[in-house]
Amino acid sequence: KKIILCLFGVIERSIIYTFESIQRNILNVLKQEYDIDIYIHSINMGRYLDSIHGLEKNIKLNRDNINVIPYNFIEVIDKSDLDKIISTKKCSWRKDYTPTHINNALRQLYSEEQVGKFILKNADKYDLALVIGPDYYYSQPINLDHLKICLTKQCVYCRHE
């Protein structure tokens, strides 16, 4: 069986901190029963990142961090190019959302959309697609029995334990 593991977003932000958990609890478990390809859609935010929450100020980003992932396919879009595609003028969000909040949300949605387009374009090559966020630390191994359910029927599955 063949599976595509997809990651999206600002990959280099935290992947050097989270990849060990992805390797141990996702990839190593999947390798027990699946041939794995990895697809990345990444947003290149430039050299520094500032958080709208004030917890990250002038965080230096290293594009080479993405290379800890043994990916087969990668697509990268520069933030400046992405910002030409998205527009806050078309969106109405929560009253407490600033234009920065909205742009960040739209950037993430765009990256997720590109993952979906990749999966649709390559659906005939894979038995399953698993989409995960690169900023999460995966503390528990993925349950292969849950994935087997998806082999028998089309499903979207999210399990938080």
Side-chain angles (χ1 to χ4, degrees):
K1 295 178 216 95
K2 192 153 178 105
I3 192 167
I4 184 74
L5 177 68
C6 304
L7 295 100
F8 61 90
V10 183
I11 305 295
E12 71 272 18
R13 173 178 39 214
S14 61
I15 197 66
I16 60 169
Y17 305 109
T18 60
F19 187 71
E20 180 272 328
S21 75
I22 294 169
Q23 180 75 50
R24 183 180 68 251
N25 291 316
I26 307 289
L27 291 172
N28 289 348
V29 177
L30 290 175
K31 285 179 185 176
Q32 296 171 21
E33 296 193 24
Y34 297 95
D35 180 25
I36 307 167
D37 282 347
I38 300 175
Y39 167 79
I40 295 171
H41 185 274
S42 182
I43 303 168
N44 179 3
M45 298 295 285
R47 295 189 60 193
Y48 294 94
L49 179 69
D50 286 325
S51 167
I52 55 175
H53 307 292
L55 300 175
E56 300 168 317
K57 291 285 187 196
N58 289 321
I59 302 296
K60 188 172 183 181
L61 297 175
N62 183 346
R63 289 292 309 155
D64 291 335
N65 289 350
I66 210 164
N67 294 322
V68 302
I69 306 169
Y71 59 84
N72 304 86
F73 310 98
I74 187 168
E75 293 182 70
V76 178
I77 187 166
D78 288 338
K79 176 186 150 198
S80 59
D81 293 332
L82 178 51
D83 287 348
K84 293 173 189 170
I85 297 169
I86 64 174
S87 170
T88 59
K89 295 175 188 166
K90 297 178 187 174
C91 297
S92 178
W93 295 60
R94 295 177 7 191
K95 291 179 182 180
D96 61 331
Y97 269 32
T98 67
T100 301
H101 284 100
I102 295 168
N103 282 341
N104 285 344
L106 290 173
R107 289 179 191 122
Q108 178 169 327
L109 288 171
Y110 177 87
S111 189
E112 291 178 33
E113 177 186 35
Q114 299 315 299
V115 167
K117 286 179 178 179
F118 178 88
I119 291 169
L120 287 174
K121 186 171 110 181
N122 294 283
D124 60 328
K125 298 175 185 160
Y126 300 101
D127 298 296
L128 287 173
L130 178 62
V131 181
I132 65 171
D135 294 325
Y136 299 108
Y137 184 89
Y138 296 89
S139 62
Q140 300 293 318
I142 191 166
N143 186 325
L144 291 176
D145 290 334
H146 295 165
L147 293 180
K148 288 176 186 170
I149 293 168
C150 293
L151 281 172
T152 60
K153 54 187 160 188
Q154 290 185 344
C155 69
V156 174
Y157 184 79
C158 180
R159 174 85 182 197
H160 298 281
E161 295 184 28

